[in-house]
Amino acid sequence: MKESTFTAKNEESWKALEGFNSRLQKRGGIKSVKADEVREFARLFRLAGFHLAYAKTHYPKSRIVSYLNRLVGSSHNFFYIRERGSFGEIAEFFSHTLPQVVRETYKYWVFATAVFVFAAMFAGFYVAGDAARLSELLPAGMEPAVDLDNHVIMWDGSLMSAFFITNNTTVAFNTFALGIFAGILTLYILLLNGALVGALAGFFHADGANMLIFWSLILPHGVTELAAIFFAGGGGLMMGKGLLVPGDFTRAQSLVFHAKKAVKLIPLIVILLVFAAFVEGFFTPLDISPWFKLAFAALTGVGLVAYCLKGAWKP
């Protein structure tokens, strides 16, 4: 085969591999692309290696050999990832991998959020119609804070803070872990806890309480606390889907595959819960304007969204 024919026939695949190398250089390596893109990159890399061997044999003094050497060498550096220091791996995980996992799994945690919000709205309207109904939805441990006879909640900061920190941490991890039971228990926990939040809001509304005060006591830590529960719910539902809809895999293989991706959400869940506990302990109780507390809650929400969208529109 003439060199010109060889080049014309294969140049398109070389340009495609160059494009991959350029993207990987900008995005931070092979871990930044999806599985189907990795397979295509591997195919082009192997093909270029074959072309290099062919060119060395048939056109040993040609510039095409030098070009393919550089191309294959650049691709090799991405394909065979060097072991990096732990700090570099951690930094890349939190700066790039974790936001990408959040975006890739959005269908699951958005659905978890919808389930929670539905339960909260239903319970809120239910209790708002009759404040005494709160007793039907109240979990053990909160009774000392509620006087149903007089239709008021005695907001003991330390009591409520301790309850919510313990409850929401337990809820988040149970919501995640119990997804292995086909996601059924995950849905149950989301419904139950959504109902609790909605019922409390409905109780305050029925009592004619100042809802601005109520939400200023809930949202500063609640934004990140609830986000942790939603992400945990998404992880649990992901594992549930892996078990129920295995596709071309066995159920065990599908569960493991989905669980590996879901587990990557755990560091974010932990960070959100720790942050929420800190805010609940040191910021929420402050005697400051409710509007300032709500502004802080909005700021944490915007910050979380910005982090999750980090790198979403890179070329």
Side-chain angles (χ1 to χ4, degrees):
M1 183 187 302
K2 292 184 178 180
E3 182 181 345
S4 58
T5 304
F6 173 75
T7 300
K9 183 179 179 181
N10 300 299
E11 189 173 18
E12 184 177 348
S13 68
W14 303 340
K15 295 298 182 184
L17 186 57
E18 279 186 23
F20 261 110
N21 289 344
S22 178
R23 287 171 56 201
L24 293 175
Q25 181 67 40
K26 292 178 181 178
R27 293 187 177 186
I30 195 73
K31 293 182 179 180
S32 65
V33 296
K34 297 180 180 179
D36 56 339
E37 293 177 304
V38 172
R39 287 191 290 269
E40 177 62 11
F41 173 68
R43 184 188 72 81
L44 293 171
F45 172 61
R46 288 192 294 267
L47 188 60
F50 171 77
H51 292 159
L52 174 60
Y54 184 91
K56 282 183 175 180
T57 301
H58 295 88
Y59 326 113
K61 297 182 179 180
S62 171
R63 287 183 296 177
I64 200 67
V65 173
S66 299
Y67 166 75
L68 289 174
N69 257 323
R70 291 193 301 272
L71 179 61
V72 171
S74 297
S75 303
H76 181 278
N77 292 335
F78 293 115
F79 196 77
Y80 296 99
I81 304 172
R82 293 182 179 180
E83 194 68 30
R84 292 173 296 171
S86 58
F87 179 79
E89 291 178 344
I90 293 172
E92 181 177 338
F93 176 81
F94 282 103
S95 67
H96 180 82
T97 304
L98 187 52
Q100 183 174 314
V101 170
V102 171
R103 295 193 298 274
E104 289 176 353
T105 59
Y106 80 94
K107 292 181 181 179
Y108 301 97
W109 55 260
V110 166
F111 183 75
T113 303
V115 170
F116 187 99
V117 171
F118 169 80
M121 292 181 66
F122 181 86
F125 285 113
Y126 179 72
V127 173
D130 182 356
R133 292 171 178 169
L134 179 63
S135 60
E136 302 171 18
L137 302 171
L138 202 64
M142 282 193 68
E143 295 91 341
V146 180
D147 182 355
L148 289 172
D149 293 331
N150 296 309
H151 297 271
V152 295
I153 290 182
M154 297 165 286
W155 195 279
D156 183 322
S158 60
L159 175 64
M160 300 298 280
S161 176
F163 172 80
F164 280 114
I165 290 174
T166 303
N167 177 75
N168 291 332
T169 301
T170 303
V171 167
F173 284 98
N174 284 345
T175 303
F176 182 93
L178 295 179
I180 61 173
F181 296 103
I184 296 173
L185 292 180
T186 293
L187 290 173
Y188 172 75
I189 295 173
L190 288 168
L191 287 168
L192 196 64
N193 285 273
L196 172 59
V197 173
L200 288 172
F203 183 91
F204 269 84
H205 179 77
D207 185 51
N210 188 331
M211 296 305 291
L212 176 65
I213 300 296
F214 172 75
W215 289 116
S216 72
L217 292 170
I218 294 291
L219 292 179
H221 58 273
V223 169
T224 48
E225 208 163 50
L226 292 177
I229 292 175
F230 300 154
F231 288 136
L237 293 175
M238 198 185 316
M239 292 190 290
K241 180 191 175 183
L243 192 63
L244 289 174
V245 189
D248 296 329
F249 302 97
T250 66
R251 294 191 187 278
Q253 289 172 333
S254 179
L255 177 60
V256 170
F257 174 81
H258 285 83
K260 284 183 176 179
K261 176 164 283 191
V263 164
K264 292 179 180 179
L265 291 169
I266 289 181
L268 179 59
I269 294 168
V270 171
I271 290 172
L272 291 173
L273 288 173
V274 170
F275 178 81
F278 179 83
V279 171
E280 193 164 12
F282 296 96
F283 180 79
T284 301
L286 293 178
D287 185 19
I288 57 178
S289 168
W291 288 109
F292 187 81
K293 292 182 180 181
L294 292 177
F296 175 84
L299 186 62
T300 60
V302 170
L304 180 59
V305 170
Y307 173 74
C308 293
L309 292 177
K310 184 178 183 299
W313 293 287
K314 280 188 177 180

